[in-house]
């Protein structure tokens, strides 16, 4: 193309490629920004963006060598709370303030299950079978209750991608009560949260937007489904913050975890080389972290309460989670599981 076309190869390049460059700020910086916004901005009486940024900077200076400017920080918040047209210059400051309050309201909840966000995360943790053969890394789908920050349910699968079967399994786990013994706990805690969401917020990924997933949710839950743009994690800020916690607090403590690298081939090689856990062992570790640690850790976005305390506060106030009408059928096992081995030397 460089030799045979006027203008060379440049004319064939996507002109928007410069807009897809990697962010200069790490996931840890964005997680801190979400934590500060959760504490000061996504509340019933929100502070200004400038005030929130002023709270962010001192903590960022203690932990990072670089942090976003005020304008970048404000753009992060704007991308969460509002469509692009909200902050056009045609609006006056008073009009913007009013629109801002209305935009934030959609993130405010009065009870559990009023807003539930779902998303998946590809963890750079390789797993092996019982004989030590490498199987691959894992993807985990989570359903998070915004009001209490409780993890309603999850599902884990081998490999990348978010198929509808995994999303449906995670939804089933989220809406059904969890019997003692069906999950792993070291401290004997109960996985208490479950119920039918009023609003489910997903992105446009194939597994979340499929007919199978929507059909299952409409059949057994009747929940309203809100679909936000794909590759826009800031439109689901609470589950995104939780997933950052999974990476920072859980994954880094697991043997075989490999930090994200730009070179995908090198990344896959390192994951395989360091894989030590079976998928069952990884499940037990994740469930114990959720039930024994995460649910009982104070949360800035909950005014220092733990997710468990916030859920119990709602129960003490007379709120009761709804379950599917056809709960017995929903809780039936999906089928029998068998393990197969390949015979021979291959």
């Amino acid at each position: 193309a460089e030799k045979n076309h006027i203008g060379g190869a440049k004319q064939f390049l996507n002109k928007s490629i410069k807009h897809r460059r990697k962010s200069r700020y790490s996931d840890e910086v964005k997680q801190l920004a979400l934590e500060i916004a959760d504490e000061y901005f996504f509340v019933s009486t929100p502070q200004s963006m400038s005030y929130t940024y002023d709270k962010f900077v001192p903590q960022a200076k203690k932990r990072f060598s670089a942090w976003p400017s005020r304008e970048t920080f404000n753009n992060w918040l704007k991308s969460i709370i509002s469509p692009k047209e909200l902050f056009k210059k045609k609006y006056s400051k008073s009009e913007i303030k009013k629109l801002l309050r209305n935009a934030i309201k959609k993130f405010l909840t009065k009870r559990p299950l009023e807003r539930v966000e779902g998303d998946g995360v590809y963890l750079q943790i390789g797993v092996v079978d019982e004989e030590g053969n490498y199987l691959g890394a894992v993807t985990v789908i989570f359903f998070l209750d915004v009001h209490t920050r409780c993890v309603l349910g999850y599902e884990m699968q081998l490999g990348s991608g978010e198929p509808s079967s995994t999303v449906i399994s995670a939804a089933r786990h989220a809406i059904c009560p969890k019997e003692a013994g069906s999950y792993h706990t070291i401290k004997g805690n109960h996985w208490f949260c479950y119920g039918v969401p009023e609003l489910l917020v997903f992105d446009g990924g194939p597994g979340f937007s499929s007919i199978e997933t929507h059909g299952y949710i409409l059949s057994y839950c009747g929940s309203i489904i809100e679909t936000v743009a794909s590759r826009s994690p800031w439109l689901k800020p609470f589950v995104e913050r939780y997933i950052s916690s999974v990476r920072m607090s859980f994954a880094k403590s697991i043997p075989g975890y490999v930090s994200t690298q730009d070179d995908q081939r090198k990344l896959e090689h390192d994951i395989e080389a360091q894989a030590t856990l079976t998928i069952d062992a990884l499940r037990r570790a994740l469930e114990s972290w959720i039930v024994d640690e995460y649910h009982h850790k104070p949360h800035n976005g909950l005014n220092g309460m733990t997710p468990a305390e916030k859920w119990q506060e709602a129960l003490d106030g007379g709120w009761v989670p709804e379950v599917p009408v056809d709960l017995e059928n929903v809780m039936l096992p999906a089928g029998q599981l068998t393990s197969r081995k390949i015979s021979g030397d291959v």
Side-chain angles (χ1 to χ4, degrees):
E2 184 67 36
K3 292 179 179 179
N4 299 328
H5 295 273
I6 297 174
K10 186 177 179 180
Q11 63 175 315
F12 296 93
L13 295 177
N14 187 336
K15 294 181 180 180
S16 65
I17 196 167
K18 63 180 181 180
H19 299 299
R20 302 201 305 269
R21 67 178 185 268
K22 184 178 179 182
S23 172
R24 57 178 293 199
Y25 302 109
S26 65
D27 290 340
E28 290 91 340
V29 176
K30 290 188 175 182
Q31 183 193 16
L32 178 61
L34 281 174
E35 291 175 2
I36 300 300
D38 198 0
E39 186 173 355
Y40 296 102
F41 196 67
F42 295 114
V43 292
S44 55
T45 306
Q47 300 290 345
S48 67
M49 290 184 182
S50 294
Y51 182 91
T52 306
Y53 181 74
D54 290 340
K55 290 293 184 180
F56 164 77
V57 170
Q59 296 194 40
K61 284 183 177 179
K62 294 178 183 178
R63 296 170 53 181
F64 310 111
S65 59
W67 52 90
S69 66
R70 188 182 299 272
E71 181 180 3
T72 299
F73 183 87
N74 289 352
N75 286 336
W76 285 355
L77 296 187
K78 290 176 184 178
S79 68
I80 298 174
I81 62 176
S82 63
K84 294 179 181 179
E85 62 269 15
L86 177 60
F87 287 91
K88 288 183 177 179
K89 292 182 179 180
K90 63 180 180 179
Y91 294 112
S92 65
K93 287 185 177 180
S94 60
E95 288 174 324
I96 289 178
K97 191 172 182 180
K98 182 178 179 181
L99 291 169
L100 181 62
R101 285 197 303 268
N102 292 334
I104 292 176
K105 283 181 181 179
K106 68 181 180 181
F107 294 105
L108 304 180
T109 56
K110 298 179 181 178
R111 57 191 173 275
L113 303 179
E114 187 176 352
R115 177 186 174 95
V116 172
E117 295 180 352
D119 203 359
V121 55
Y122 178 71
L123 294 178
Q124 291 85 14
I125 302 175
V127 295
V128 297
D129 63 16
E130 299 293 341
E131 297 177 353
N133 300 307
Y134 179 69
L135 299 177
V138 298
T139 297
V140 188
I141 305 294
F142 290 105
F143 281 66
L144 185 84
D145 174 56
V146 169
H147 186 74
T148 63
R149 307 301 200 274
C150 287
V151 181
L152 294 173
Y154 86 101
E155 185 55 273
M156 182 183 295
Q157 68 165 45
L158 283 170
S160 59
E162 300 168 350
S164 56
S165 57
T166 305
V167 176
I168 289 172
S169 184
R172 174 180 175 274
H173 189 231
I175 64 179
C176 293
K178 299 159 187 63
E179 302 293 338
S182 64
Y183 52 88
H184 187 71
T185 172
I186 297 175
K187 300 179 181 179
N189 288 315
H190 181 49
W191 200 335
F192 46 81
C193 42
Y194 66 91
V196 174
E198 297 177 34
L199 172 67
L200 275 170
V201 182
F202 298 146
D203 62 23
F208 289 103
S209 60
S210 70
I211 294 176
E212 293 84 0
T213 299
H214 283 226
Y216 180 88
I217 291 172
L218 292 174
S219 297
Y220 292 111
C221 303
S223 306
I224 297 173
I225 300 174
E226 178 183 325
T227 302
V228 299
S230 298
R231 298 183 180 87
S232 302
W234 288 80
L235 298 177
K236 308 184 301 298
F238 303 102
V239 72
E240 179 66 16
R241 176 183 175 180
Y242 167 75
I243 285 176
S244 295
S245 297
V246 171
R247 287 197 179 102
M248 304 302 140
S249 301
F250 169 72
K252 285 188 174 181
S253 67
I254 297 299
Y257 174 72
V258 179
S259 298
T260 303
Q261 298 175 7
D262 292 332
D263 188 337
Q264 188 65 30
R265 286 181 294 182
K266 187 175 187 299
L267 174 63
E268 290 296 334
H269 172 76
D270 289 349
I271 292 175
E272 180 176 356
Q274 299 188 37
T276 58
L277 295 180
T278 64
I279 194 166
D280 287 337
L282 184 57
R283 278 185 179 273
R284 291 194 297 270
L286 176 61
E287 290 171 356
S288 178
W289 179 78
I290 293 172
V291 176
D292 295 330
E293 294 186 36
Y294 173 78
H295 279 168
H296 299 278
K297 184 178 180 180
H299 198 294
N300 289 338
L302 303 177
N303 293 324
M305 297 178 68
T306 68
E309 290 171 344
K310 191 69 174 178
W311 188 276
Q312 187 61 47
E313 179 186 60
L315 294 175
D316 294 341
W319 173 84
V320 177
E322 292 187 10
V323 296
V325 175
D326 200 13
L327 180 61
E328 292 184 359
N329 286 335
V330 177
M331 292 186 68
L332 287 175
Q336 295 184 356
L337 300 178
T338 60
S339 298
R340 302 294 185 188
K341 292 185 179 180
I342 300 174
S343 60
D345 298 329
V346 179

